[in-house]
Amino acid sequence: QLQLVESGGGWVQPGGSLKLSCAASRFTLEPYAIAWFRQAPGKEREGVSCISRIGGRTNLADSVKGRFTISRDNAKNTVYLQMNGLKPEDTAVYYCAARPAACTWPILRPADFASWGQGTQVTVSS
């Protein structure tokens, strides 16, 4: 089973930026589509972004389009989520998840992703 770990979360002021990383131990991420989900307290987990196995296709939720960028660096075996122009409503625990198939965009269902990280907290406030 592929195991993932997220990093890069923290506190930032509105309008600030953070870059999240999703890395794997032992296994390469190349065969997997990687998605980012987020979950705020009391809310359901929602899909934010997804990147294809090749990396040529990326998807972003309307709520983050123009502010977030997903990318992957196969040499570093890492997928990134660059978050710019952060808003308080972006506050959540962010998770990366993997599946050995194409992104299921526009509908990202947590059940379609078998491998998950433990999450990293992103807090946007003044």
PDB file of all heavy atoms in Angstrom, residues 28-44:
ATOM      1  N   THR A  28       7.365   4.908  -6.043  1.00  0.00           N
ATOM      2  CA  THR A  28       7.304   6.065  -6.917  1.00  0.00           C
ATOM      3  C   THR A  28       5.856   6.498  -7.107  1.00  0.00           C
ATOM      4  O   THR A  28       4.942   5.673  -7.131  1.00  0.00           O
ATOM      5  CB  THR A  28       7.934   5.762  -8.284  1.00  0.00           C
ATOM      6  OG1 THR A  28       7.797   6.899  -9.137  1.00  0.00           O
ATOM      7  CG2 THR A  28       7.270   4.560  -8.944  1.00  0.00           C
ATOM      8  N   LEU A  29       5.660   7.794  -7.263  1.00  0.00           N
ATOM      9  CA  LEU A  29       4.327   8.344  -7.489  1.00  0.00           C
ATOM     10  C   LEU A  29       3.951   8.369  -8.962  1.00  0.00           C
ATOM     11  O   LEU A  29       2.816   8.704  -9.298  1.00  0.00           O
ATOM     12  CB  LEU A  29       4.228   9.753  -6.910  1.00  0.00           C
ATOM     13  CG  LEU A  29       4.234   9.889  -5.389  1.00  0.00           C
ATOM     14  CD1 LEU A  29       4.208  11.359  -4.993  1.00  0.00           C
ATOM     15  CD2 LEU A  29       3.053   9.150  -4.781  1.00  0.00           C
ATOM     16  N   GLU A  30       4.868   8.031  -9.825  1.00  0.00           N
ATOM     17  CA  GLU A  30       4.625   8.163 -11.260  1.00  0.00           C
ATOM     18  C   GLU A  30       3.391   7.419 -11.765  1.00  0.00           C
ATOM     19  O   GLU A  30       2.708   7.931 -12.647  1.00  0.00           O
ATOM     20  CB  GLU A  30       5.862   7.726 -12.048  1.00  0.00           C
ATOM     21  CG  GLU A  30       7.045   8.675 -11.885  1.00  0.00           C
ATOM     22  CD  GLU A  30       8.241   8.279 -12.728  1.00  0.00           C
ATOM     23  OE1 GLU A  30       8.068   7.447 -13.648  1.00  0.00           O
ATOM     24  OE2 GLU A  30       9.337   8.794 -12.483  1.00  0.00           O
ATOM     25  N   PRO A  31       3.064   6.225 -11.258  1.00  0.00           N
ATOM     26  CA  PRO A  31       1.874   5.526 -11.775  1.00  0.00           C
ATOM     27  C   PRO A  31       0.544   6.056 -11.249  1.00  0.00           C
ATOM     28  O   PRO A  31      -0.494   5.520 -11.622  1.00  0.00           O
ATOM     29  CB  PRO A  31       2.080   4.078 -11.299  1.00  0.00           C
ATOM     30  CG  PRO A  31       3.499   3.991 -10.847  1.00  0.00           C
ATOM     31  CD  PRO A  31       3.828   5.345 -10.347  1.00  0.00           C
ATOM     32  N   TYR A  32       0.574   7.073 -10.417  1.00  0.00           N
ATOM     33  CA  TYR A  32      -0.630   7.508  -9.731  1.00  0.00           C
ATOM     34  C   TYR A  32      -1.069   8.908 -10.135  1.00  0.00           C
ATOM     35  O   TYR A  32      -0.245   9.814 -10.298  1.00  0.00           O
ATOM     36  CB  TYR A  32      -0.414   7.505  -8.217  1.00  0.00           C
ATOM     37  CG  TYR A  32      -0.074   6.155  -7.644  1.00  0.00           C
ATOM     38  CD1 TYR A  32       1.245   5.737  -7.544  1.00  0.00           C
ATOM     39  CD2 TYR A  32      -1.079   5.306  -7.194  1.00  0.00           C
ATOM     40  CE1 TYR A  32       1.559   4.494  -7.018  1.00  0.00           C
ATOM     41  CE2 TYR A  32      -0.766   4.066  -6.664  1.00  0.00           C
ATOM     42  CZ  TYR A  32       0.554   3.667  -6.579  1.00  0.00           C
ATOM     43  OH  TYR A  32       0.855   2.433  -6.048  1.00  0.00           O
ATOM     44  N   ALA A  33      -2.374   9.055 -10.284  1.00  0.00           N
ATOM     45  CA  ALA A  33      -2.955  10.390 -10.270  1.00  0.00           C
ATOM     46  C   ALA A  33      -3.018  10.838  -8.814  1.00  0.00           C
ATOM     47  O   ALA A  33      -3.344  10.049  -7.929  1.00  0.00           O
ATOM     48  CB  ALA A  33      -4.352  10.381 -10.884  1.00  0.00           C
ATOM     49  N   ILE A  34      -2.689  12.089  -8.570  1.00  0.00           N
ATOM     50  CA  ILE A  34      -2.647  12.622  -7.219  1.00  0.00           C
ATOM     51  C   ILE A  34      -3.651  13.751  -7.085  1.00  0.00           C
ATOM     52  O   ILE A  34      -3.672  14.675  -7.910  1.00  0.00           O
ATOM     53  CB  ILE A  34      -1.242  13.135  -6.848  1.00  0.00           C
ATOM     54  CG1 ILE A  34      -0.191  12.039  -7.065  1.00  0.00           C
ATOM     55  CG2 ILE A  34      -1.226  13.632  -5.406  1.00  0.00           C
ATOM     56  CD1 ILE A  34      -0.356  10.833  -6.160  1.00  0.00           C
ATOM     57  N   ALA A  35      -4.453  13.683  -6.045  1.00  0.00           N
ATOM     58  CA  ALA A  35      -5.449  14.710  -5.776  1.00  0.00           C
ATOM     59  C   ALA A  35      -5.202  15.354  -4.423  1.00  0.00           C
ATOM     60  O   ALA A  35      -4.624  14.742  -3.522  1.00  0.00           O
ATOM     61  CB  ALA A  35      -6.862  14.123  -5.815  1.00  0.00           C
ATOM     62  N   TRP A  36      -5.641  16.591  -4.314  1.00  0.00           N
ATOM     63  CA  TRP A  36      -5.648  17.284  -3.031  1.00  0.00           C
ATOM     64  C   TRP A  36      -7.091  17.477  -2.590  1.00  0.00           C
ATOM     65  O   TRP A  36      -7.931  17.939  -3.373  1.00  0.00           O
ATOM     66  CB  TRP A  36      -4.960  18.645  -3.123  1.00  0.00           C
ATOM     67  CG  TRP A  36      -3.468  18.571  -3.221  1.00  0.00           C
ATOM     68  CD1 TRP A  36      -2.711  18.580  -4.349  1.00  0.00           C
ATOM     69  CD2 TRP A  36      -2.546  18.481  -2.129  1.00  0.00           C
ATOM     70  NE1 TRP A  36      -1.379  18.508  -4.034  1.00  0.00           N
ATOM     71  CE2 TRP A  36      -1.252  18.440  -2.682  1.00  0.00           C
ATOM     72  CE3 TRP A  36      -2.691  18.436  -0.736  1.00  0.00           C
ATOM     73  CZ2 TRP A  36      -0.100  18.357  -1.879  1.00  0.00           C
ATOM     74  CZ3 TRP A  36      -1.552  18.343   0.045  1.00  0.00           C
ATOM     75  CH2 TRP A  36      -0.277  18.307  -0.534  1.00  0.00           C
ATOM     76  N   PHE A  37      -7.360  17.104  -1.360  1.00  0.00           N
ATOM     77  CA  PHE A  37      -8.640  17.334  -0.712  1.00  0.00           C
ATOM     78  C   PHE A  37      -8.420  18.249   0.477  1.00  0.00           C
ATOM     79  O   PHE A  37      -7.308  18.386   0.978  1.00  0.00           O
ATOM     80  CB  PHE A  37      -9.261  16.024  -0.218  1.00  0.00           C
ATOM     81  CG  PHE A  37      -9.705  15.083  -1.300  1.00  0.00           C
ATOM     82  CD1 PHE A  37      -8.794  14.258  -1.948  1.00  0.00           C
ATOM     83  CD2 PHE A  37     -11.037  15.008  -1.664  1.00  0.00           C
ATOM     84  CE1 PHE A  37      -9.198  13.377  -2.936  1.00  0.00           C
ATOM     85  CE2 PHE A  37     -11.461  14.126  -2.654  1.00  0.00           C
ATOM     86  CZ  PHE A  37     -10.539  13.315  -3.288  1.00  0.00           C
ATOM     87  N   ARG A  38      -9.487  18.843   0.942  1.00  0.00           N
ATOM     88  CA  ARG A  38      -9.420  19.614   2.179  1.00  0.00           C
ATOM     89  C   ARG A  38     -10.698  19.419   2.973  1.00  0.00           C
ATOM     90  O   ARG A  38     -11.765  19.159   2.416  1.00  0.00           O
ATOM     91  CB  ARG A  38      -9.167  21.098   1.913  1.00  0.00           C
ATOM     92  CG  ARG A  38     -10.296  21.826   1.200  1.00  0.00           C
ATOM     93  CD  ARG A  38      -9.868  23.254   0.887  1.00  0.00           C
ATOM     94  NE  ARG A  38     -10.917  24.017   0.226  1.00  0.00           N
ATOM     95  CZ  ARG A  38     -10.762  25.243  -0.246  1.00  0.00           C
ATOM     96  NH1 ARG A  38      -9.585  25.860  -0.133  1.00  0.00           N
ATOM     97  NH2 ARG A  38     -11.778  25.871  -0.835  1.00  0.00           N
ATOM     98  N   GLN A  39     -10.570  19.554   4.270  1.00  0.00           N
ATOM     99  CA  GLN A  39     -11.708  19.378   5.146  1.00  0.00           C
ATOM    100  C   GLN A  39     -11.628  20.381   6.290  1.00  0.00           C
ATOM    101  O   GLN A  39     -10.677  20.370   7.067  1.00  0.00           O
ATOM    102  CB  GLN A  39     -11.764  17.955   5.698  1.00  0.00           C
ATOM    103  CG  GLN A  39     -13.023  17.650   6.489  1.00  0.00           C
ATOM    104  CD  GLN A  39     -13.209  16.169   6.727  1.00  0.00           C
ATOM    105  OE1 GLN A  39     -12.255  15.400   6.712  1.00  0.00           O
ATOM    106  NE2 GLN A  39     -14.448  15.757   6.929  1.00  0.00           N
ATOM    107  N   ALA A  40     -12.626  21.231   6.360  1.00  0.00           N
ATOM    108  CA  ALA A  40     -12.744  22.186   7.444  1.00  0.00           C
ATOM    109  C   ALA A  40     -13.598  21.581   8.551  1.00  0.00           C
ATOM    110  O   ALA A  40     -14.409  20.682   8.298  1.00  0.00           O
ATOM    111  CB  ALA A  40     -13.370  23.488   6.940  1.00  0.00           C
ATOM    112  N   PRO A  41     -13.438  22.048   9.785  1.00  0.00           N
ATOM    113  CA  PRO A  41     -14.232  21.504  10.887  1.00  0.00           C
ATOM    114  C   PRO A  41     -15.729  21.568  10.606  1.00  0.00           C
ATOM    115  O   PRO A  41     -16.249  22.603  10.201  1.00  0.00           O
ATOM    116  CB  PRO A  41     -13.847  22.401  12.066  1.00  0.00           C
ATOM    117  CG  PRO A  41     -12.474  22.878  11.739  1.00  0.00           C
ATOM    118  CD  PRO A  41     -12.487  23.069  10.246  1.00  0.00           C
ATOM    119  N   GLY A  42     -16.407  20.450  10.792  1.00  0.00           N
ATOM    120  CA  GLY A  42     -17.838  20.397  10.601  1.00  0.00           C
ATOM    121  C   GLY A  42     -18.293  20.319   9.161  1.00  0.00           C
ATOM    122  O   GLY A  42     -19.499  20.318   8.899  1.00  0.00           O
ATOM    123  N   LYS A  43     -17.363  20.245   8.218  1.00  0.00           N
ATOM    124  CA  LYS A  43     -17.705  20.182   6.810  1.00  0.00           C
ATOM    125  C   LYS A  43     -17.187  18.888   6.194  1.00  0.00           C
ATOM    126  O   LYS A  43     -16.271  18.260   6.712  1.00  0.00           O
ATOM    127  CB  LYS A  43     -17.129  21.381   6.055  1.00  0.00           C
ATOM    128  CG  LYS A  43     -17.632  22.732   6.537  1.00  0.00           C
ATOM    129  CD  LYS A  43     -17.047  23.871   5.732  1.00  0.00           C
ATOM    130  CE  LYS A  43     -17.500  23.832   4.284  1.00  0.00           C
ATOM    131  NZ  LYS A  43     -16.987  24.994   3.509  1.00  0.00           N
ATOM    132  N   GLU A  44     -17.785  18.509   5.087  1.00  0.00           N
ATOM    133  CA  GLU A  44     -17.362  17.301   4.400  1.00  0.00           C
ATOM    134  C   GLU A  44     -16.065  17.541   3.648  1.00  0.00           C
ATOM    135  O   GLU A  44     -15.711  18.673   3.310  1.00  0.00           O
ATOM    136  CB  GLU A  44     -18.450  16.822   3.437  1.00  0.00           C
ATOM    137  CG  GLU A  44     -18.715  17.760   2.281  1.00  0.00           C
ATOM    138  CD  GLU A  44     -19.843  17.275   1.395  1.00  0.00           C
ATOM    139  OE1 GLU A  44     -20.789  16.673   1.913  1.00  0.00           O
ATOM    140  OE2 GLU A  44     -19.769  17.508   0.168  1.00  0.00           O
TER     141      GLU A  44
END
